[in-house]
Amino acid sequence: MQHSRTQDILVGFFVACGIVSLFYLALQVSNLGNYDAGDSFTISARFQNSGSLKVKSPVSVAGVRIGRVSAITLDRESLESLVEMRIDAKYNNLPDDSGASIYTAGLLGEKYVSIDPGPGLSGKFLRDKSRITNVSSAIVLEEMIGKFFLNKTAGN
Amino acid sequence: MLEIFENLGKSTFGSLAKLGRAVFFLLYTLNGIGVVLLRPGLLLRQMYSVGVLSFLIISISGLFVGMVLGLQGYYILTDFGAAESLGVMVAASLVRELGPVVSAILFAGRAGSALTAEIGLMKATEQLSGMEMMAVDPIKRIISPRFLAGFISMPLLAALFSAIGVMGGHMVGVTMLGVDDGAFWSQMQATIDFHEDIINGVIKSVVFGFVVSWISLFEGYDAVPTSEGVSRATTRTVVNSAFSILGLDFILTALMFGDI
């Protein structure tokens, strides 16, 4: 019943392969690789319609991801969609008159929040719990198609 | 007429008694795990026969399952102009379901049946009674190392299956069918969540490893000590393992991903 050295090596190889596969899955397949454990701050924006925006959808400036959507709730008073976003702490120099819009990646792709840096007239920056007031809502494809057909029939 | 009820009652009591034996068997086995850890040589030998010898079948099956997913997914997704989502489809189906389930079923067929036959034959040739005569506890010496080896090997094998499957899907999708390489990975990484998908998949494979090892060792230990009894026990191992894996998979999926 004595085990041999070859068996030791093969078992070691097997366990190593299993652990490497787990790391491969974690880093290459899942989003763990681009998780940033660093500090972040939360800003919010009220949209008339947040469309199919989801928690964890990306928030980007000029196409670079700077954070993620952390919560989407309905504001009870204005009946608008209140979107909270967690922004990486290192991007603390966004002017407080920046605008936020919800765009779609591609025609049918996922929704994301794009922040367009403002001129920074007040000289202040977005801080924790800041609210972006200059917003434009998600473009709902059905509405656009509806409008398009309405215009077309009216034009004729 | 009365006989039908008599048989039904008998088989009910029979299965209840078997379940009770299985539970006690499990408790004794778990009790012996401490002893196994003191003698890692026993564990290593079983890791070899349970894990290393299943390595090849799991890797090759993983590769082919991933390749088929890549091929089928590509044909369906191109109809919607969404071939770039191929990575998401391949990875999600492998990590969430196919990885743990298919590797557990293969594991039951490859390693579980071998364990049952080995233990059953040991019982039939009275090796287990012989050990007891020598005041060696067969559960601690024979069963517990095999149980622990199966329990450890299964998650590793499932991770291997998923990882190789993703590579197979990449090979077919990107190298052969020309899906964009960057989109394949980036959409996959954007969708697959580490905690929700990968960790849940690992939890599934841990549960399956526990159940398959338990079933195969118990069936061997509880086998009728004849050649016919051992062959029946081996069949029961594969059938019961497959049932438990698929049933538990539904329950675990409902708990993890649904709102039940």
Side-chain angles (χ1 to χ4, degrees), chain B residues 63 66-72 74 86 166-179 184:
Chain B
L63 184 70
M67 281 163 71
V68 165
L69 278 176
L71 210 57
Q72 291 282 11
Y74 180 79
L86 184 66
V166 169
M167 289 176 203
H170 179 264
M171 201 167 85
V172 167
V174 175
T175 318
M176 285 168 57
L177 296 170
V179 175
F184 184 89

Side-chain angles (χ1 to χ4, degrees), chain A residues 39-45 70 84-94 96 124-132:
Chain A
D39 289 338
S40 57
F41 61 96
T42 308
I43 60 173
S44 60
S70 58
E84 285 173 28
M85 296 160 267
R86 290 173 68 86
I87 310 294
D88 292 356
K90 63 181 170 192
Y91 301 110
N92 57 0
N93 57 346
L94 298 166
D96 71 344
K124 288 180 183 161
F125 298 122
L126 287 174
R127 291 267 166 270
D128 195 28
K129 299 200 173 63
S130 300
R131 168 160 297 175
I132 295 177

Side-chain angles (χ1 to χ4, degrees), chain A residues 8 21 25-26 28 30-31 56, chain B residues 44 185 189 192-194 198:
Chain A
D8 285 4
S21 313
L25 288 178
Q28 179 76 19
S30 83
N31 55 3
K56 281 192 199 152
Chain B
L44 211 73
W185 291 118
Q189 285 165 2
I192 306 292
D193 186 75
F194 179 70
I198 308 246

Side-chain angles (χ1 to χ4, degrees), chain B residues 107-122:
Chain B
F107 181 76
R110 169 64 187 80
S113 57
L115 285 177
T116 307
E118 190 186 8
I119 307 279
L121 210 66
M122 279 187 182

Side-chain angles (χ1 to χ4, degrees), chain B residues 50 100-101 103-113 115-116 146-147 150-151 154 204-219 237-238 240-246 248:
Chain B
V50 168
V101 171
S103 58
I105 289 177
L106 290 172
F107 181 76
R110 169 64 187 80
S113 57
L115 285 177
T116 307
R146 285 166 173 74
F147 182 81
F151 183 65
M154 188 55 234
K204 272 187 185 178
S205 60
V206 168
V207 173
F208 296 157
F210 187 92
V211 171
V212 171
S213 312
W214 180 19
I215 289 177
S216 39
L217 289 170
F218 176 71
E219 288 293 356
T237 292
V238 178
N240 291 352
S241 297
F243 272 142
S244 332
I245 290 163
L246 296 171
L248 274 173

